[in-house]
Amino acid sequence: MEFPRLGHNLTSPMSPCEGMLKNLSLDAIQLCEREGNKSQDSSIVEMEELPVPQNIKISNITCDSFKICWDMEPRVKERITHYFIDLNKKENKNSNKFKHKDVPTKLVAKAVPLPMTVRGHWFLSPRTEYTVAVQTASKQTDGDYAVSEWSEIIEFTTADYSTVHLTQLLEKAEVIAGRMLRFSVFYRNQNKEYFDQAREVHGNRMLPAVKDNSGSHGSPISGKLEGLYFSCNTEFNTGKPPQDSPYGRTRFEIQAETLFNPKTNLYFGDFYCMYTAYHYVILVLAPQGSPGDDFCKARLQALDITNNHFLTCTVDEEAGDGALVFRHSQDVILEVIYTEPVDLALGTVAEISGHQLMSLSTVNAKKDPSCKTCNISVGR
């Protein structure tokens, strides 16, 4: 296999590669299968004298980058011209055996002082386990490479989206949010048994549960934040909650002011779709100073409750009595997570007249990675 010469222009026609290895001069990117401990490439010559990287360390891990360094013998540093980095998703024993394997990625980088940064959203995804091994290499006059044996294999896991990435998602969601409609209640649908258990086992309370893995793969709240899902979207023609639901035919309704008021903080959590025209925005409501509020402050983008594109709480100036007015965005489906227990006595429980539309459930729903409306360029 012939490698491109040094200085080969990777930005055209391969423009996605620009900046892949920050602070590196990239020689080539090759995809290969590696079996055992040695390279199988016919153009690569084994040279025992080249040192095997030792004591590999991974640091500064983000959702789409990491730093890597290792120990090297000073006497042979000048002979090393390149590093080969073999990066693979860690095998999942529970994965579908009929699904295509992820293609291993070998990064060929010009030797630079360590540590070096590996960055690239097209081969690094958030919240994903990877393995990495390294070879040192010396480019020969004939264009071939002399290489060391592979190092030991190191495992690491990429991070969640940062607040910078969530801000990018927020800005995309704002574009399609649409106009604001008034509403008066939050509602939560479940089956009858759920509410029976809340009364009989949990002291008439609905208790927070850990959020599932629906939405963006890099969401910092999936599998971590505890809360209760509520809806607030209304039908355009009636201004009332719809009579159908994916989650059950028994509905708890509560006045909006009980959960959402000036003593509540509001956070943007996620923006996604499920291979349909519908887009979902996840918001978090957390009473000020609560554990949920502390969790969100460190991870999510806070919203002004009186002025944002999704969910607002304002004082009715015309009425003059201090009454609160609530509005939700029309063109996205809001999933509102309230971080504290809710007593059933604060609202009403009744059966809806519509149907349970299971196909619209978002429980553990996977985000469409091809949607240009709701994806950002740091994994999915």
Side-chain angles (χ1 to χ4, degrees), residues 49-115:
E49 290 81 0
L50 283 178
V52 179
Q54 303 289 336
N55 194 25
I56 296 174
K57 295 180 180 178
I58 305 293
S59 61
N60 295 77
I61 300 171
T62 73
C63 65
D64 65 346
S65 69
F66 62 92
K67 285 189 175 182
I68 185 169
C69 66
W70 56 87
D71 296 338
M72 286 211 304
E73 300 174 24
R75 62 183 179 84
V76 294
K77 275 187 178 180
E78 62 184 33
R79 291 184 48 217
I80 297 171
T81 63
H82 292 79
Y83 306 136
F84 292 179
I85 302 174
D86 194 35
L87 181 69
N88 297 279
K89 285 187 178 180
K90 187 177 178 181
E91 288 187 10
N92 181 0
K93 295 181 180 179
N94 297 321
S95 62
N96 186 344
K97 65 180 179 180
F98 297 107
K99 188 176 180 180
H100 289 298
K101 279 188 174 182
D102 290 304
V103 179
T105 300
K106 178 184 282 185
L107 309 177
V108 184
K110 189 174 180 180
V112 296
L114 300 176

Side-chain angles (χ1 to χ4, degrees), residues 171-190:
E171 291 170 351
K172 278 182 164 282
E174 289 175 341
V175 172
I176 69 163
R179 69 190 185 100
M180 304 292 282
L181 303 178
R182 290 185 66 156
F183 76 100
S184 60
V185 298
F186 288 105
Y187 54 95
R188 173 176 171 83
N189 279 70
Q190 291 287 330

Side-chain angles (χ1 to χ4, degrees), residues 114-125:
L114 300 176
M116 65 180 180
T117 299
V118 179
R119 184 187 308 279
H121 68 263
W122 54 94
F123 58 80
L124 284 173
S125 298

Side-chain angles (χ1 to χ4, degrees), residues 360-377:
L360 296 181
S361 172
T362 63
V363 175
N364 287 315
K366 300 305 179 185
K367 182 173 183 175
D368 178 1
S370 65
C371 178
K372 295 181 180 179
T373 301
C374 61
N375 279 295
I376 57 177
S377 60

